[in-house]
């Protein structure tokens, strides 16, 4: 039920009291069928008392039904109400004590095990697409934590196997609960640039060393996002413009760029550290068989045509193109004619 806890509890108690009052009225209407073994007179207080001990199945026997109609009322009406009230109280105890205690224990256990995980803050269009792509790339869903205020959107992430949390990602308590300082990476896509930048500021304050990627839609907010602490700033509008502009110069450029960005394409971009046996080699001699495009050395980007890329060093980060399964089967640079699909 989409009501707060106090509202849910009030509804349950109100329903139980309503059923009890219904039985009180029925007993009062049929009070002639009851007998009080103490004084022989059945008052309204006696009816209330008899109703309570009847509903709770205590049954002292000092007040009892003596007519066929009164016994029929007890069997046909009061007994189902007794079970209903019992189920209401048992259900309430389960929801507010047993289930919540179990969920709290389960949450604490998940939190204790969180390490080297990926946190997705915002599960809108960009966030959901990023989660689907991460899973497609081989990331286990249980290694992904999704935070969003919408429980409807979170249900989709939970169906994929991700850990979810319905909360405000701008709050310190929320980010501490998902062990933000132990995360492998944080992806921010709140839907609004101001909210996304605020989240980046909060994340950076709590986790100074965690890589942060953020989606912003206004070009003048890109520098603000970097100043807030984002390592990567993605502007979907700007990227769309690049694809459109590229399509002017070549009909297949936009298609190839989209291919590079997705694991489902025939090729993909991979960023990784240079291995020990690659040190001293040219960027064209990568052990993976990929095509090296660029290295990052001491924060500087160096293209494959530059002399520094002819001598890879320990600590370099290389960006390369490698074939995916489709690329290995169908090759690249052709339309697949004559090749098996």
């Amino acid at each position: 039920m989409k009501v707060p806890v106090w509202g849910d509890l009030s509804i349950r108690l109100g329903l139980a009291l309503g059923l009890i009052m219904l039985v009180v009225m029925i007993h009062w209407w049929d009070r002639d069928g009851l007998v009080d073994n103490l004084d022989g007179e059945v008052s309204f207080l006696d009816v209330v008392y008899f109703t309570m001990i009847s509903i709770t199945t205590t049954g002292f026997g000092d007040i009892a039904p003596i007519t066929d109609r009164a016994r029929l009322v007890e069997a046909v009406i009061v007994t189902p109400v007794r079970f209903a009230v019992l189920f209401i109280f048992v259900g309430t105890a389960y929801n507010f004590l047993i289930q919540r205690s179990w969920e709290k224990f389960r949450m604490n256990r998940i939190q204790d095990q969180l390490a080297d995980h990926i946190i997705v803050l915002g599960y809108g269009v960009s966030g959901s697409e990023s989660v689907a792509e991460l899973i497609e790339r081989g990331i286990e869903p249980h290694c992904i934590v999704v935070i969003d205020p919408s429980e409807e959107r979170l249900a989709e992430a939970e169906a994929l196997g991700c850990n979810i949390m319905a909360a405000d990602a701008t709050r310190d308590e929320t980010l501490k609960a998902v062990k933000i300082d132990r995360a492998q990476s944080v992806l921010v896509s709140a839907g609004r640039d101001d909210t996304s930048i605020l989240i980046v500021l909060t994340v950076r304050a709590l986790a100074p060393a965690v890589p942060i990627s953020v989606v912003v839609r206004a070009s003048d907010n890109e520098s603000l996002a970097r100043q807030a602490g984002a390592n990567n700033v993605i502007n979907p509008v700007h990227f769309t413009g690049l694809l459109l502009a590229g399509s002017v110069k070549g009909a297949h450029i936009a298609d190839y760029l989209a291919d590079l960005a997705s694991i489902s394409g025939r090729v993909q971009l991979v960023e990784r550290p240079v291995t020990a046996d690659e040190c001293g080699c040219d960027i064209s001699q990568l052990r993976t068989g990929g095509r090296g495009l660029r290295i990052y050395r001491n924060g500087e980007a160096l293209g494959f045509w530059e002399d520094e890329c002819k001598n890879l060093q320990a600590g370099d980060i290389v960006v390369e193109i490698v074939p995916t399964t489709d690329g290995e089967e169908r090759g690249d640079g052709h339309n697949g004619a004559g090749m098996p699909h």
Side-chain angles (χ1 to χ4, degrees), residues 110 113-118 131 135 138-146 157-158 160-164:
I110 291 174
Q113 295 176 346
L114 284 178
D116 201 31
H117 52 297
I118 298 174
V131 169
I135 295 175
I139 302 296
E140 293 294 334
H142 64 80
C143 295
I144 302 174
V145 179
V146 179
E158 187 177 23
L160 295 176
C162 302
N163 297 305
I164 63 170

Side-chain angles (χ1 to χ4, degrees), residues 146-151 154 164-168 174:
V146 179
I147 299 178
D148 194 279
S150 171
E151 295 187 4
L154 289 179
I164 63 170
M165 185 176 185
D168 182 0
T174 300

Side-chain angles (χ1 to χ4, degrees), residues 50-178:
F50 175 69
T51 298
M52 296 307 299
I53 65 172
S54 179
I55 289 292
T56 58
T57 68
T58 304
F60 293 115
D62 49 350
I63 300 178
I66 57 173
T67 65
D68 291 340
R69 186 177 65 180
R71 290 172 179 173
L72 184 63
V73 167
E74 292 297 317
V76 176
I77 299 178
V78 178
T79 297
V81 171
R82 181 184 299 121
F83 282 116
V85 172
L86 178 63
F87 287 148
I88 290 173
F89 283 114
V90 170
T92 301
Y94 172 75
N95 283 339
F96 289 92
L97 295 177
I98 301 175
Q99 187 181 40
R100 291 179 184 273
S101 298
W102 167 251
E103 289 297 332
K104 185 177 181 180
F105 169 78
R106 180 172 171 269
M107 182 68 175
N108 290 335
R109 186 173 178 82
I110 291 174
Q111 289 175 328
D112 291 339
Q113 295 176 346
L114 284 178
D116 201 31
H117 52 297
I118 298 174
I119 300 177
V120 180
L121 305 178
Y123 199 70
V125 175
S126 300
S128 59
E129 288 292 333
S130 65
V131 169
E133 183 68 20
L134 286 171
I135 295 175
E136 186 74 19
R137 289 173 181 261
I139 302 296
E140 293 294 334
H142 64 80
C143 295
I144 302 174
V145 179
V146 179
I147 299 178
D148 194 279
S150 171
E151 295 187 4
E152 294 180 358
R153 291 197 293 264
L154 289 179
E156 300 176 8
E158 187 177 23
L160 295 176
C162 302
N163 297 305
I164 63 170
M165 185 176 185
D168 182 0
T170 63
R171 303 295 300 273
D172 289 4
E173 294 80 3
T174 300
L175 300 179
K176 290 178 181 178
V178 295

Side-chain angles (χ1 to χ4, degrees), residues 149-327:
S150 171
E151 295 187 4
E152 294 180 358
R153 291 197 293 264
L154 289 179
E156 300 176 8
E158 187 177 23
L160 295 176
C162 302
N163 297 305
I164 63 170
M165 185 176 185
D168 182 0
T170 63
R171 303 295 300 273
D172 289 4
E173 294 80 3
T174 300
L175 300 179
K176 290 178 181 178
V178 295
K179 307 298 181 184
I180 194 75
D181 56 324
R182 301 199 315 224
Q184 176 189 141
S185 183
V186 176
L187 310 181
V188 181
S189 178
R192 288 172 52 99
D193 287 0
D194 52 353
T195 305
S196 295
I197 292 173
L198 177 59
I199 293 175
V200 171
L201 283 168
T202 308
V203 172
R204 183 54 70 213
L206 297 175
V210 172
I212 304 174
S213 299
V214 61
V215 174
V216 296
R217 288 167 173 76
S219 299
D220 51 354
N221 288 332
E222 294 183 24
S223 60
L224 293 176
R226 291 191 175 89
Q227 292 174 24
N231 301 89
N232 301 296
V233 179
I234 297 98
N235 189 330
V237 177
H238 181 64
F239 185 70
T240 302
L242 292 178
L243 292 179
L244 288 173
S247 65
V248 174
K249 294 297 183 179
H252 305 295
I253 292 179
D255 177 60
Y256 196 74
L257 288 175
D259 198 357
L260 287 174
S262 174
I263 188 66
S264 59
R266 297 214 302 270
V267 293
Q268 64 172 312
L269 284 173
V270 174
E271 177 181 328
R272 62 174 179 85
V274 169
T275 60
D277 57 347
E278 290 174 334
C279 292
C281 297
D282 190 280
I283 194 174
S284 62
Q285 301 172 334
L286 298 177
R287 297 294 184 263
T288 59
R291 299 293 185 265
L293 300 178
R294 174 182 290 183
I295 65 170
Y296 287 86
R297 179 178 297 166
N298 299 323
E300 181 183 2
L302 302 170
F304 64 88
W305 63 90
E306 300 184 63
D307 293 337
E308 289 85 349
C309 290
K310 296 179 180 179
N311 182 23
L312 299 179
Q313 300 178 9
D316 288 349
I317 302 296
V318 63
V319 176
E320 61 177 334
I321 295 180
V322 297
T324 61
T325 302
D326 284 343

